[in-house]
Amino acid sequence: MLCPAPVRPRLRARLLVPGALAAFAGAVVLLAVLHIDRTLAPLDPVSTMLSDYALSPGRRLWDGALLLTSTGSALLLVALYRRGLLAGPVLVAAKALWCVSLLAVAVFAKDPQGGAITATGKIHLYASAVTCLSLPVVGWALGRRHRDDPHWRRIATWSRRLALAAIPFYLPFIVPFAVNVLGGHLPTVATGLIERLMMVLEIALLGVLGCWAHRAMPTGVRFRPRAQVSPG
């Protein structure tokens, strides 16, 4: 006969998703401070890019927000993989690229507007392009893969919608970037407001993926044979 036996996931496994969500919350707080406190970052959020915070007195807060987001994303990557949601080398690589590119954006600052183009600035540009593509790919692919699963249909729909909603905000960055890489010249027409709307969608998508991983946590019960008792 089969009977339920309690099974508790290891402590480190149980802390993956809470740790990721805490890291995302910390990043949101730091970003909010940068936008509110003009002494740390005297920048216009409508016209200046997010990467301009790396050239402001609040650079440490900006780097900290990127580090927290990258760390939380790495924890989330492990949680999604362990719980069977993030399967396949392509999706794992895309999520890993998101984590690594965030670190590169923090380490390699952008070139000042109108200044000389440096190797550091180019690395920053390429890393920014990777961040624009990798996370939406993961969110869309996960949502598409699980869209017919009755248990995950609703949250998969949100994952897919947020990923698709981000695409229009990426186009003003990606199209000029691709044209310039191919040797042409097309100015970037996006404003800081567009980039910040894109950031909100990214954070929302990370939150959805975090909730998804939490809901996929093992129930803590497995079945094992019960010992047969001889009559009499």
Side-chain angles (χ1 to χ4, degrees), residues 50-117:
L50 288 168
S51 296
D52 288 325
Y53 287 120
L55 307 177
S56 72
R59 175 174 182 173
R60 291 186 177 180
L61 295 183
W62 168 246
D63 291 344
L66 292 176
L67 179 59
L68 285 172
T69 305
S70 178
T71 302
S73 298
L75 295 174
L76 189 56
L77 166 61
V78 176
L80 290 170
Y81 180 78
R82 288 172 63 102
R83 290 161 195 181
L85 295 172
L86 191 66
V90 175
L91 283 183
V92 173
K95 192 68 167 69
L97 279 175
W98 160 260
C99 301
V100 174
S101 61
L102 284 175
L103 289 179
V105 170
V107 173
F108 301 96
K110 65 171 289 185
D111 292 323
Q113 189 69 27
I117 298 177

Side-chain angles (χ1 to χ4, degrees), residues 180-191:
N180 294 335
V181 168
L182 294 175
H185 178 69
L186 188 65
T188 301
V189 296
T191 65

